[in-house]
Amino acid sequence: MEQQQQQQQQQSRQGDLSWRLSSHPVTLLCFLSFRISSLLVYLFGGLFVKDNFVLIFILTILLLAADFYYLKNIAGRRLVGLRWWNEVDTATGSSTWVFESSPARDGAGAGNRTDSRFFWLALYVQPVLWAGLGVLYLLSPKWLSIVVIALILTITNTVAFSRCDKFSQATNLASRVGYSGGLARNIAGGLFSRLFTRS
């Protein structure tokens, strides 16, 4: 009885914003560190490096690039079971976005709700913060250049993972409908075969 209560408490806590409830705490902490570090360097880098725009620019861009790579290739796959990439056909030059979802996203093993909440919250909040900084630095073109690059990188990941999630949901729905259609076909076939074998 006590063990069931502990399991219920653990399940009710799932989805809380506490990194201790994560299935992949190291991945989650690295993901959040990359997301926050570029903003911190951009905002407070001038306090540590007086009037050295180039150094702040380089550090912020490197952190944004690391965040883009880590989110796209590691955090997305481990935290929510989604991946995306872009393939270019060398013959035609056409570009195709490819979306992939983990089979564990289906059914009961849909993943950790805490990981998912952290992932989607951080994914959507960061472009909003960068856009807010863009409005603040609208009259300073050199500082605005960093914001534009940050918006391009963060919005690309946001759009890609949003499409990937929608693609995953559509694929899951189609497979469920296909499965249930096959089940209905088997039941109907069984009924018809019984009707014809009894007569």
Side-chain angles (χ1 to χ4, degrees), residues 104-167:
R105 285 183 58 107
D106 305 338
N112 186 319
R113 289 186 299 178
T114 298
D115 290 340
S116 181
R117 283 191 66 197
F118 268 116
F119 180 84
W120 293 110
L121 185 66
L123 189 72
Y124 288 115
V125 165
Q126 192 176 28
V128 172
L129 292 174
W130 280 109
L133 288 172
V135 170
L136 289 175
Y137 289 101
L138 201 55
L139 299 176
S140 177
K142 73 178 186 179
W143 291 101
L144 190 60
S145 63
I146 298 174
V147 173
V148 169
I149 294 169
L151 282 171
I152 290 169
L153 291 173
T154 58
I155 288 174
T156 299
N157 256 337
T158 303
V159 168
F161 275 108
S162 296
R163 286 185 181 176
C164 192
D165 187 44
K166 287 183 183 11
F167 176 77

Side-chain angles (χ1 to χ4, degrees), residues 31-45:
F31 165 64
L32 293 174
S33 297
F34 281 127
R35 298 302 275 182
I36 293 168
S37 62
S38 58
L39 282 164
L40 292 177
V41 167
Y42 180 78
L43 289 172
F44 302 115

Side-chain angles (χ1 to χ4, degrees), residues 24 26-32 34-35 66-83 115-116 118-120 122-123 157 161:
H24 306 285
V26 173
T27 303
L28 180 63
L29 291 175
C30 288
F31 165 64
L32 293 174
F34 281 127
R35 298 302 275 182
D67 171 53
F68 183 87
Y69 175 83
Y70 192 80
L71 171 61
K72 180 182 172 301
N73 295 310
I74 298 167
R77 183 175 45 85
R78 296 203 67 203
L79 297 177
V80 291
L82 297 172
R83 277 187 357 166
D115 290 340
S116 181
F118 268 116
F119 180 84
W120 293 110
L123 189 72
N157 256 337
F161 275 108

Side-chain angles (χ1 to χ4, degrees), residues 16-108:
D16 289 352
L17 289 177
S18 171
W19 67 271
R20 288 187 175 103
L21 298 174
S22 173
S23 297
H24 306 285
V26 173
T27 303
L28 180 63
L29 291 175
C30 288
F31 165 64
L32 293 174
S33 297
F34 281 127
R35 298 302 275 182
I36 293 168
S37 62
S38 58
L39 282 164
L40 292 177
V41 167
Y42 180 78
L43 289 172
F44 302 115
L47 296 175
F48 302 107
V49 184
K50 298 290 182 199
D51 296 326
N52 194 345
F53 171 75
V54 174
L55 183 60
I56 294 171
F57 181 88
I58 291 171
L59 288 175
T60 304
I61 297 302
L62 286 174
L63 288 168
L64 284 166
D67 171 53
F68 183 87
Y69 175 83
Y70 192 80
L71 171 61
K72 180 182 172 301
N73 295 310
I74 298 167
R77 183 175 45 85
R78 296 203 67 203
L79 297 177
V80 291
L82 297 172
R83 277 187 357 166
W84 67 271
W85 62 93
N86 193 334
E87 291 180 349
V88 178
D89 184 5
T90 54
T92 63
S94 64
S95 176
T96 306
W97 287 48
V98 180
F99 304 110
E100 183 179 86
S101 65
S102 166
R105 285 183 58 107
D106 305 338

